[in-house]
Amino acid sequence: MLRAGIVGLPNVGKSTLFNALCENAKAEAANFPFCTIDPNVGSVAVPDPRLEVLAKLHQSAQVVPSRVEFVDIAGLVAGASRGEGLGNQFLSHIRQVDAIVHVVRCFDDPDIIHVAGSVDPLRDIGIINLELALSDLGQIEKRLERIRKQAKSGDKLLQQELTALEALYRALEAGKPARLVDLDPEQNLAIKSLGLLTRKPTIYAANVAETDLATGNAWVEQVRELAAQEHTQVVVVSAQVEAELVALDPAERADYLASLGVTEGGLKSLIRATYKLLGLQTYFTAGPKETRAWTIPVGATAPQAAGVIHSDFERGFIRAETVSYEDLVAAGSLAAAKEKGLVRSEGKDYVVQEGDVMLFRFNV
């Protein structure tokens, strides 16, 4: 399951957004710092209208979407890496996530206190990124103390790790996030256990008032300029709008979003951006028992896709009966798609495409 950690200063809308994204989550959204005392974890279904279409075609008994897990931690403040506020303990809760959603306040509301006294997205981002970098520096320093002695033995793997750690340390000291350092696959594997926060793919969620959701504002543009320099993405969301959407049925949601000049809510936008940033895509399996969505890396082969279901499927892979979602829907049924020659038998070298509907044949 894809996991994303939500970070930001207190009172930027983190917990309001988390509650809205994870409707059954128990995070408290209150107008004071540190209202989220423990890390809150919520799992949400990935919205994908193709699932229901496939389920009807196959008369499936159940529909199983992909899921994303969001981890919301307490608002960070300057000095968090040294224990200020609720401290560095909360940073450890997001070391194992796949990506970070950095919520940035891009709205003005005199009724909602800003811990720094004014709205300034670039300053706020700088505070959080500095704390993440200081925490990473601490992790690297501890590892370097041990590995410098061990690497003298001539162990090639340890020497690779040492080279990687020193490069990361230099970048962080220069004010650059660790994700901008190019490492080879072996070096990446060597430092993976450290869970460096500034190496994780990051999306800036610019939290705006509902009136700015469609067009953004000057603060959003500042965030976009910074994100371009860091080679990352910005998603414009309105935590308050997301909270209001929770109480509406699908038709009312669509009408409400349309009245604001947008076609989708923050959940779809965030997940779409996260999939793109991480290089992920979706394929489907479908039948009378269930229709299910599976998340795989772009470029995955058919055996690798099968392995997401079960490792035995990858080991014993023979072939995959494959049809694109568009061809299957246009044909009206799997039988009709077969008659038209749209269902292909793909082997071990086949690279799975977005929206493929697959049936795997394998030896146990």
Side-chain angles (χ1 to χ4, degrees):
M1 183 188 299
L2 175 64
R3 302 183 76 227
I6 302 177
V7 303
L9 289 173
N11 288 1
V12 298
K14 284 191 321 90
S15 292
T16 300
L17 181 63
F18 175 82
N19 279 338
L21 297 179
C22 313
E23 295 180 26
N24 60 348
K26 304 301 181 184
E28 178 187 4
N31 183 24
F32 55 88
F34 315 128
C35 62
T36 308
I37 303 303
D38 294 313
N40 293 279
V41 180
S43 173
V44 301
V46 175
D48 195 326
R50 296 174 296 181
L51 277 169
E52 292 295 339
V53 176
L54 290 173
K56 287 180 180 178
L57 282 179
H58 292 83
Q59 298 182 342
S60 303
Q62 64 176 339
V63 176
V64 185
S66 297
R67 303 194 73 82
V68 173
E69 188 174 271
F70 288 102
V71 182
D72 175 38
I73 67 168
L76 301 173
V77 295
S81 60
R82 302 187 304 276
E84 294 295 328
L86 289 178
N88 195 23
Q89 58 178 311
F90 290 100
L91 294 176
S92 66
H93 294 141
I94 54 171
R95 288 206 175 277
Q96 302 311 313
V97 299
D98 302 296
I100 287 177
V101 176
H102 185 161
V103 182
V104 186
R105 180 168 170 172
C106 293
F107 67 91
D108 194 13
D109 187 337
D111 294 328
I112 299 179
I113 302 163
H114 192 296
V115 291
S118 63
V119 178
D120 185 339
L122 297 186
R123 176 203 58 209
D124 295 353
I125 288 172
I127 291 171
I128 297 297
N129 285 349
L130 177 60
E131 294 308 319
L132 299 183
L134 290 172
S135 182
D136 282 351
L137 280 169
Q139 291 282 101
I140 293 173
E141 284 173 346
K142 290 177 185 177
R143 181 61 181 157
L144 280 173
E145 286 178 10
R146 294 194 296 270
I147 202 171
R148 281 191 174 120
K149 296 177 182 178
Q150 297 171 354
K152 290 179 181 179
S153 66
D155 187 295
K156 195 171 182 179
L157 291 177
L158 288 175
Q159 289 177 341
Q160 281 188 325
E161 183 180 356
L162 177 60
T163 301
L165 289 172
E166 289 176 338
L168 291 165
Y169 192 88
R170 287 193 298 271
L172 288 166
E173 277 202 315
K176 298 178 182 178
R179 60 181 171 272
L180 296 184
V181 178
D182 289 328
L183 299 179
D184 62 37
E186 291 79 12
Q187 290 174 324
N188 267 321
L189 186 61
I191 59 98
K192 184 178 179 180
S193 63
L194 292 178
L196 297 178
L197 299 169
T198 65
R199 192 156 182 81
K200 296 183 183 301
T202 297
I203 292 173
Y204 290 113
N207 186 16
V208 300
E210 69 173 24
T211 52
D212 292 328
L213 186 57
T215 59
N217 55 37
W219 289 319
V220 173
E221 290 309 311
Q222 291 177 11
V223 178
R224 283 179 172 147
E225 289 176 12
L226 177 64
Q229 296 171 18
E230 296 183 354
H231 308 295
T232 188
Q233 298 185 47
V234 176
V235 174
V236 180
V237 298
S238 174
Q240 195 56 48
V241 168
E242 293 301 312
E244 293 172 5
L245 288 174
V246 169
L248 303 179
D249 64 36
E252 290 173 325
R253 289 185 183 196
D255 289 343
Y256 180 38
L257 290 171
S259 73
L260 298 175
V262 295
T263 58
E264 66 181 16
L267 177 60
K268 285 185 180 179
S269 299
L270 272 175
I271 290 176
R272 185 162 44 79
T274 304
Y275 269 50
K276 181 178 180 181
L277 189 65
L278 295 177
L280 301 175
Q281 65 181 0
T282 301
Y283 82 89
F284 304 100
T285 54
K289 182 179 178 181
E290 70 174 26
T291 290
R292 182 185 289 254
W294 303 90
T295 300
I296 58 172
V298 172
T301 62
Q304 290 169 334
V308 174
I309 300 175
H310 197 287
S311 57
D312 287 347
F313 286 24
E314 182 173 5
R315 284 194 296 268
F317 179 89
I318 299 174
R319 68 180 186 277
E321 294 180 10
T322 306
V323 58
S324 74
Y325 169 81
E326 290 79 9
D327 285 346
L328 177 56
V329 172
S333 70
L334 184 61
K338 287 181 177 179
E339 288 178 7
K340 294 180 178 181
L342 299 173
V343 179
R344 313 179 305 275
S345 180
E346 301 288 4
K348 293 182 178 181
D349 294 332
Y350 176 67
V351 177
V352 179
Q353 301 300 303
E354 169 66 36
D356 276 350
V357 183
M358 310 184 79
L359 174 64
F360 297 106
R361 304 295 185 185
F362 63 97
N363 285 319
V364 178

